Every structure is written in C-alpha cells, then in structure tokens.
Amino acid sequence: PNARVKRDQQQEAVVVDGTSFSLNGDNFSYRFHVDNDTGDLLSDHFGGSITGDIPIETVAAVNGWVGEQGRVRREFPDQGRGDFRVPAMRIRQAEGYTVSDLQYQSYTVVQGKPPLAGLPATMGSESDVTTLIVHLYDNYSAVAADLSYSVFPRYDAVVRSVNLTNKGTGNITVEALASLSVDFPYENLDMVSLRGDWAREAHRERRKVEYGIQGFGSSTGYSSHLHNPFLALVDPFATESDGEAWGFSLIYTGSFSVQVEKSSQGFTRALLGLNPSQLSWPLGPGETLSSPECVAVYSNNGIGGMSRRLHRLYRNHLMKSRFATADRPVLLNSWEGLGFDYNQTSIYQLAQEAADLGVKLFVLDDGWFGDKYPRTSDTAGLGDWVPNPQRFPNGLAPAVRNYTAIVTANTSSHLRFGIWVEPEMVNPNSDLYHEHPDWALHAGPYPRTERRNQLVLNVALPEVQEFIIDAVSNILNSADITYVKWDNNRGIHETPSPSTDHAYMLGLYHVFDTLTTRFPNVLWEGCASGGGRFDAGVLQFFPQIWTSDDTDAVNRINIQLGTSLAYPPSAMGSHLSAVPNQQTGRTVPVSFRGHVAMMGGSFGLELDPATTPEEDKAALPGLIALAEKVNPIILTGDMYRLRLPEDSNWPAVLFISEDGSEAVLFYFQTNPNVNHAAPWVRLQGLDPQAMYSVDGNATYSGATLMNIGLQYYFDSDYGSRVVFLERQ
Ligand code: DGJ
C-alpha cells in the first residue's frame, strides 16, 4: 500500500527542472525526464505524491543495457529502434520506412487548457488547469510530435493528447496513434474494463495483467456496446474503497484500441487511442493529425475514488450543456409503450396520461416521420425527416401545441415535448436514398450490407453534415421542441478507406457542435441501441445518454453500476418500464423498478399507462415525486458503490451531495432471504463527527453509520429502500 501523501500546496501543477518534468495533483505526481544520451523521454513515476529528487531505475545499469529502448520505461514509444513492445505511434514514410526517432526539443507551459481542433476535449480556466506541451522532433523524417499534458490538480487528473505534424516535403501515413501511453514499473496489476453487447452493456471485467499483450477495442466505427473506451489498472488488492487505482478514459466516440502489455522485464505498458486497424491517415506537408484526448486519474482510495474523480471532472470540465447539473424533467418515452404502433389519437392519449401521472416531458420516439416511405416499421423512412401525414395531418407544430397545452398533474406547468431522431442513417426505402445513393457508406463494388434494414450515411462528407444539420434544425425550428433523443442503431461496415472511420467522427463532432451551439436550450440525449455510444466524446455535447435497451431493473443495477465506473450517474437515462420486462420477461415490483431507475440522472417512464395494472399505476405519482426529490443529489453528488450486485444479494449505493448536507441510500435485495440474518451496509464518505438524521427518524453519527451501518429486512425477493440522510 502507498503512503497517502498530500501535495505540498506550494508545489505547482507543472514543474520543469532542466529536462525533468513533474506534474502534480492534490494526491498524485507524474514524472518523466529526457535521456541525455538518446534524447528519448523516459517515464519515472505515475502514482502517489512525491517530492524532490527520485532514485534512478537501476535495471538498465545493472545489466549493462544502457541505451536499449526495449529495457526502459518510455513516455511516448515510437517504433523501429529496438523497443519491441507495442508502439504509441507508427508512421509510414513515402519510402516505406516505419522507423521513427522522436527526440526532445523544447517545452511550453500554458495556464488553462487550449482547445483540441475538431475533437471534444476537457475545458478549464487558468485556475483549474495547467498545460505542459513537450515538443519532439524526428530529424530524419521531419515529423514533429507535440505531447500535451493538462493537469487538473483538484481531480488528480492529467489529460493527454498528441499532435503529429508533417514538417517535411513528402507525404506520410499515420498508421497508429495512441492518445496516452504509460509505462508502469515492475509490479503486479489487475486490469478492469467494461464489456458487453446490445442490451447487456458495461459488465465489469477484472483480470490479472499477464506477460504479453492483452487488450480490447472497437472496430465498429463507434465506441460500441462490445467494449467501452475505458481502462482501469489497479493494485491486485484494491477494492471499491481502498488501494491504488488508475483510471483511463478516452474522450472519443469512434473505433478505439486499448492495449496492455507486460514486457519481459515486468514493466506494464498501457496504450489508449485510435484503433490502428481502422487508421491509415495521410498527412501531406504541413498537415497535422490530432489524437483524441485521454484522461488519466489516480486514486489512492480505491476504485470508487477513481470513479468519483472522473465523475467530478466530467461534470465540471467536459459536459458543455447547461443542463449538465440542472434538474432533469421526469419524462415518458413512447417506445416501450407503443413502439411503432400508434395513430394521432393514441399518441395524444399517451401524452395526456403521462401528464396525469406527473410526467413533465413527453418524448415521441421512433415512427413519427416519412411521407412517401412512412416509418411505421423499421423497414422504411430513415432519412426523410418530415412528419408522417397520416399521423400528423397538419404537421408537427399544431400537434406539439396540443401536447404542450396539457397541464401536468399537481402543477401549473405545461407538458414539454421531445422528439427522437436517427440522422446518421438511411433506409434504402426512402426518398433520401433514391436521391443520394452515394451518400451511404460503401466500398466500391462490394454489396452494401443492411442492418436493421438500414445503411449508414457517410458523415465524413461535408454535404452529408450539412444535410443533417439542416434536417435537425428544421425539425427544431418547426415546433416547440425542448428535448432530442439522438439514436444510432448499427455499426459501420464497408468503409471506402480505413481513414473513413476517424473522418466520420470528425464530421459527426462538427454536426454535434453546430447543433448544440445553435440550440443550447434543447436537452440532448445520446443513444445507440441503448448504450452503444456511452462515452466521454458524446458527453461533451449531450449531458445524458440512454444507458441500455435492457430496462429490467435487476439487470439495470449491474449495467448502471458498471457504467458508473467511468461516467457520472447524472449522465444516465434510466426508465421504469412495464412488466413482464420486454427483454427478460421478468416481473419485479414497481417500487424496485422505480428505485433502480431513479439512480440515473434522467428518470423516466417507458410504458403505456392505459395498459398498466391499476396497482402499479397508483404507485407512479409517488415514485415520480421521490425521483424528483433525489434528482439534485444524483446530478451533482458523489457516488459510493457500497456493495456490488456481482458480489452481494444486497447491492447498495450511496450518493452524498456536494456540500455533504444530504445523502440518499439505495438499498436492494434481489433474492429472497429466508430465516437468515441480513448484513449491515456500512456507509462511506460521511463526516464521522457529524450527526445525520435517517429518514427523519433516528439520528446517528457519521462514525456509527460508517462503522455499524444500516440494515433492512424484506419479506420477499426484489425488496428495495430509498433512505434519506440529513446532516444535523
Ligand atoms: C433503439 C433505442 O435504444 C430505443 O430506445 C428506441 O429509440 C429504438 N431504437 C427506436 O427505434
């Protein structure tokens, strides 16, 4: 275990001593230096705070390997000169060489955080963040690499990206580029990642880092359900609350790669960045390729501490939306309730019933558009963003006027209206496809494979970007629409070139940036068949993302807690749906469904009240009121995963408001507990000296609540409690 050393407050975030670089946060230091013999950057430390001189790693000197690149820890490993581990970049020169020799030139320090051209990035003022840029240069190929390190000291975070510039006269091709590369010393580590598939996203996977290469990634064109662009390296003994944990989160929505290599000397290298299998990026003279950013946080209080640092950083320095930490309206989404099967009357009735229950925002999901090719199933209409005249004979504006005239129960406020779109896609059965078949991604003569009967528009093309921006702007200008759910329901196949993948993403970010800047009062929600694009790139623009198409409450505990490893709960869309559940067939009580759903920042209903059993329906207004009460704490509070569903029959989560004055405990029992004691759940993160009232009844000290805890009994399976704590 490390000694918990706090930063000497006098120590600057960035300290440069000759050619030694030191980055310092409240609880961490990151050090590297220039090797005087080779001009290479060598890594010294990423971990708990250190001060002053440091001992030199002796393995090379002892074994006579001085100058051997494969035997040292390197800060930005280029390739071709004896480091046989995975490189952080590979450049193919016009002559075919893939050797690079990037040597240290100089550095720059800037207060604040320069933007990253065309890519989502963390942001901060001069008092929040300091940036060190280290300039490297390859004299043989005339390629420059600028490594950017932005230190957010209060978050124990350093954010890295790389700019590669061709300063020569010939063309080169970038074939690999990692945003972040880090070489750890010889020690045992575990790696934690999030894997899954459609409707079972974000399953936590923990395994030992073994000798050799292990990794994961996405080549789907999107961050994907399969693997999330997030990695944690942790001490093998680290738990949720104790031990060292390093969290790495890539701010990117496209294909990515995460590689972890334990080398012959026992060093562990971690690389996160663009996926080399989807990259072949030509750089002409004077051109630059910027990598996405990768955030690295250090925690000396376990995996939970790592997540809380990421959550705070993302809420305060990544999410641009004005709603990032603002209360979210309780919504009802039409998808699970009515699907494609509605008409003018039944959809209005759904909105009316939602408002009667206390819902504040009605979301019209798929099926509202398409004229000649009406979208009444998933076989037609994508691309034709005009209201279906059968369903909306007078267009959207009068219909929306009707919806927003409805007053929601027990308030004087009017129902708000939101809409679903999937603008990156086209059905071959559409006017758009007939007009612009070439806009759909395709690779020459190869067949265009359809998934869910649809093709992907080539968002790398400026004309496609303009089409999407215009189509969505027209919808938003046509009626009083204050919420958009932006869906995306298939992966990219048959790209014309490997670089299309990244070019698509740059185009998509341009579209997101333009639209969210143009419509700042719209609450945007991301979605990709559920959580297929739950990533930090999307969060820059959209403050919430639909977490999964699996709304089964038991599965959702797992999915939501998995997602929370990297992303703030405030960003999760989570809805109470009907039973038996559409994906799993399971029936659980309405209170359990509601309690799980209100652990996400955007709580909603996904059912048809007209077919909801009376008993469940009667419980909905109370659950909505409770969700509204806990919402501010979920949106800005710190999350403690007290017990994980994979470890316990009694998963529990605590949220503590930023100022520590309020907390809310979610306590669940999944299986029945017959004739057996139930364990106490010990709380975390409270002030041991302070007194807390528990649900307005008993009052206990923080010390008692953290060292004894609370205990609840249920007389059946699927028991749940939401418990309020107020600091006295
Ligand atoms: C997939 C989404 O995840 C669902 O919530 C729903 O919007 C459907 N698409 C609509 O086609």
Side-chain angles (χ1 to χ4, degrees):
N2 75 323
R4 292 196 184 175
V5 181
K6 274 253 164 212
R7 175 168 66 124
D8 171 355
Q9 289 306 317
Q10 301 309 313
Q11 206 170 7
E12 299 289 332
V14 174
V15 179
V16 183
D17 179 6
T19 52
S20 292
F21 301 90
S22 173
L23 314 175
N24 304 293
D26 284 357
N27 300 286
F28 88 98
S29 300
Y30 186 117
R31 293 244 194 139
F32 57 95
H33 72 275
V34 180
D35 181 11
N36 288 334
D37 296 329
T38 60
D40 229 28
L41 291 185
L42 299 187
S43 310
D44 295 315
H45 176 72
F46 179 26
S49 294
I50 55 172
T51 49
D53 287 345
I54 54 173
I56 300 293
E57 174 120 41
T58 45
V59 61
V62 167
N63 294 304
W65 291 324
V66 176
E68 273 201 40
Q69 286 197 329
R71 313 270 186 179
V72 288
R73 293 194 283 137
R74 303 178 69 211
E75 192 55 26
F76 186 60
D78 53 13
Q79 104 152 21
R81 295 179 296 120
D83 182 350
F84 302 117
R85 293 163 289 181
V86 202
M89 58 147 237
R90 187 173 60 252
I91 288 175
R92 181 175 297 276
Q93 295 166 36
E95 298 82 354
Y97 320 131
T98 54
V99 182
S100 298
D101 187 358
L102 286 165
Q103 298 205 2
Y104 173 74
Q105 297 288 303
S106 59
Y107 73 91
T108 319
V109 176
V110 275
Q111 287 304 320
K113 176 80 186 20
L116 193 58
L119 285 162
T122 50
M123 312 160 295
S125 69
E126 292 186 1
S127 60
D128 298 318
V129 48
T130 308
T131 301
L132 164 73
I133 304 165
V134 178
H135 308 286
L136 309 178
Y137 192 68
D138 178 343
N139 278 310
Y140 305 97
S141 64
V143 169
D146 291 335
L147 311 184
S148 166
Y149 299 82
S150 294
V151 186
F152 288 86
R154 290 194 295 278
Y155 302 80
D156 292 323
V158 49
V159 182
R160 213 189 70 182
S161 63
V162 183
N163 278 347
L164 284 183
T165 304
N166 178 0
K167 302 220 166 176
T169 49
N171 294 327
I172 60 171
T173 308
V174 183
E175 296 186 334
L177 183 58
S179 305
L180 180 121
S181 48
V182 58
D183 276 3
F184 283 84
Y186 171 42
E187 59 189 333
N188 288 328
L189 291 168
D190 282 358
M191 59 188 273
V192 184
S193 55
L194 296 170
R195 64 158 176 89
D197 207 321
W198 172 74
R200 53 181 173 82
E201 296 85 343
H203 280 248
R204 179 195 281 238
E205 186 86 13
R206 181 168 178 164
R207 55 186 141 144
K208 186 172 185 271
V209 175
E210 301 281 6
Y211 283 89
I213 300 173
Q214 47 251 280
F216 54 89
S218 163
S219 53
T220 66
Y222 308 118
S223 45
S224 92
H225 303 84
L226 311 180
H227 297 283
N228 196 275
F230 159 78
L231 167 76
L233 290 174
V234 304
D235 182 296
F237 299 104
T239 63
E240 274 292 318
S241 52
D242 284 299
E244 291 186 281
W246 294 259
F248 305 99
S249 170
L250 196 64
I251 305 181
Y252 192 57
T253 310
S255 296
F256 71 92
S257 155
V258 174
Q259 285 170 301
V260 179
E261 179 171 8
K262 189 163 181 173
S263 66
S264 63
Q265 295 301 312
F267 301 146
T268 297
R269 172 170 292 176
L271 298 170
L272 290 91
L274 298 170
N275 190 332
S277 77
Q278 311 290 105
L279 188 71
S280 179
W281 193 268
L283 271 192
E287 290 180 348
T288 297
L289 174 64
S290 299
S291 79
E293 280 190 358
C294 185
V295 175
V297 294
Y298 169 75
S299 159
N300 51 13
N301 47 8
I303 298 171
M306 172 205 76
S307 296
R308 286 187 290 280
R309 284 165 173 84
L310 283 169
H311 297 172
R312 284 186 170 211
L313 182 76
Y314 282 172
R315 280 198 306 260
N316 299 331
H317 296 288
L318 176 72
M319 294 157 80
K320 280 185 174 170
S321 167
R322 62 182 51 165
F323 302 108
T325 53
D327 295 6
R328 309 285 167 81
V330 171
L331 62 84
L332 181 141
N333 178 298
S334 65
W335 180 246
E336 284 200 25
L338 296 187
F340 287 113
D341 190 15
Y342 56 84
N343 58 33
Q344 198 185 353
T345 314
S346 60
I347 199 76
Y348 177 80
Q349 205 179 324
L350 185 64
Q352 176 71 64
E353 297 214 34
D356 290 346
L357 293 169
V359 163
K360 309 292 182 302
L361 166 70
F362 173 67
V363 179
L364 178 59
D365 207 279
D366 205 346
W368 60 269
F369 52 93
D371 183 353
K372 194 159 142 208
Y373 299 91
R375 178 82 172 167
T376 48
S377 72
D378 63 17
T379 59
L382 284 175
D384 296 350
W385 298 108
V386 290
N388 173 341
Q390 306 293 318
R391 294 181 170 187
F392 301 95
N394 305 311
L396 269 185
V400 174
R401 269 200 295 278
N402 285 341
Y403 295 128
T404 54
I406 300 172
V407 175
T408 72
N410 305 321
T411 70
S412 52
S413 61
H414 289 250
L415 190 64
R416 289 170 52 182
F417 179 81
I419 204 158
W420 176 98
V421 291
E422 193 182 357
E424 299 155 66
M425 299 290 159
V426 63
N427 284 120
N429 287 328
S430 67
D431 276 333
L432 181 69
Y433 189 70
H434 287 99
E435 267 171 51
H436 296 288
D438 279 356
W439 283 7
L441 276 173
H442 62 284
Y446 286 91
R448 302 169 181 209
T449 44
E450 293 175 26
R451 288 286 176 273
R452 209 191 187 208
N453 311 300
Q454 65 198 54
L455 297 168
V456 186
L457 293 176
N458 185 355
V459 183
L461 300 174
E463 54 273 34
V464 171
Q465 294 160 25
E466 283 319 301
F467 164 77
I468 294 175
I469 290 168
D470 287 349
V472 176
S473 298
N474 289 342
I475 297 167
L476 293 180
N477 286 328
S478 74
D480 183 14
I481 298 171
T482 50
Y483 163 105
V484 171
K485 175 178 172 188
W486 186 296
D487 205 349
N488 172 78
N489 285 303
R490 62 159 289 181
I492 289 181
H493 314 171
E494 291 112 21
T495 53
S497 92
S499 55
T500 309
D501 235 53
H502 184 56
Y504 180 111
M505 248 337 114
L506 294 176
L508 187 64
Y509 289 138
H510 167 66
V511 170
F512 283 176
D513 190 40
T514 307
L515 285 168
T516 52
T517 307
R518 191 176 287 176
F519 298 99
N521 294 324
V522 166
L523 172 56
W524 300 82
E525 172 161 309
C527 175
S529 305
R533 286 204 304 209
F534 211 120
D535 61 66
V538 169
L539 286 182
Q540 169 114 88
F541 306 99
F542 301 167
Q544 60 190 52
I545 300 173
W546 180 228
T547 317
S548 178
D549 275 347
D550 182 354
T551 56
D552 175 289
V554 180
N555 289 358
R556 266 302 188 113
I557 300 180
N558 213 305
I559 294 171
Q560 291 172 199
L561 293 197
T563 305
S564 78
L565 268 190
Y567 309 105
S570 62
M572 293 180 209
S574 48
H575 299 171
L576 186 172
S577 61
V579 287
N581 182 268
Q582 282 195 358
Q583 305 302 348
T584 63
R586 179 162 29 201
T587 296
V588 306
V590 67
S591 50
F592 190 102
R593 284 179 271 150
H595 294 162
V596 173
M598 63 184 77
M599 288 197 296
S602 172
F603 172 83
L605 306 181
E606 188 105 17
L607 45 73
D608 179 4
T611 56
T612 302
E614 277 312 315
E615 207 185 312
D616 285 3
K617 205 164 142 180
L620 293 177
L623 287 167
I624 290 173
L626 185 59
E628 287 174 335
K629 186 173 170 196
V630 303
N631 195 240
I633 307 179
I634 309 290
L635 286 177
T636 57
D638 274 332
M639 178 198 214
Y640 292 82
R641 293 177 294 254
L642 303 177
R643 276 198 305 239
L644 301 176
E646 48 269 59
D647 296 341
S648 170
N649 185 37
W650 295 272
V653 184
L654 181 73
F655 293 86
I656 304 179
S657 65
E658 236 174 349
D659 64 1
S661 65
E662 288 181 309
V664 55
L665 168 70
F666 292 87
Y667 185 105
F668 302 98
Q669 170 175 297
T670 39
N671 291 311
N673 181 37
V674 183
N675 189 20
H676 197 293
W680 296 79
V681 63
R682 294 187 194 169
L683 309 194
Q684 294 173 23
L686 302 176
D687 176 353
Q689 318 293 339
M691 299 302 289
Y692 295 85
S693 81
V694 177
D695 266 345
N697 301 321
T699 299
Y700 305 109
S701 72
T704 301
L705 289 166
M706 292 194 289
N707 287 322
I708 294 184
L710 295 167
Q711 188 189 40
Y712 296 98
Y713 275 89
F714 304 98
D715 54 12
S716 71
D717 50 4
Y718 310 129
S720 61
R721 283 288 293 269
V722 176
V723 181
F724 266 93
L725 289 95
E726 270 177 300
R727 193 181 166 136
Q728 300 298 288

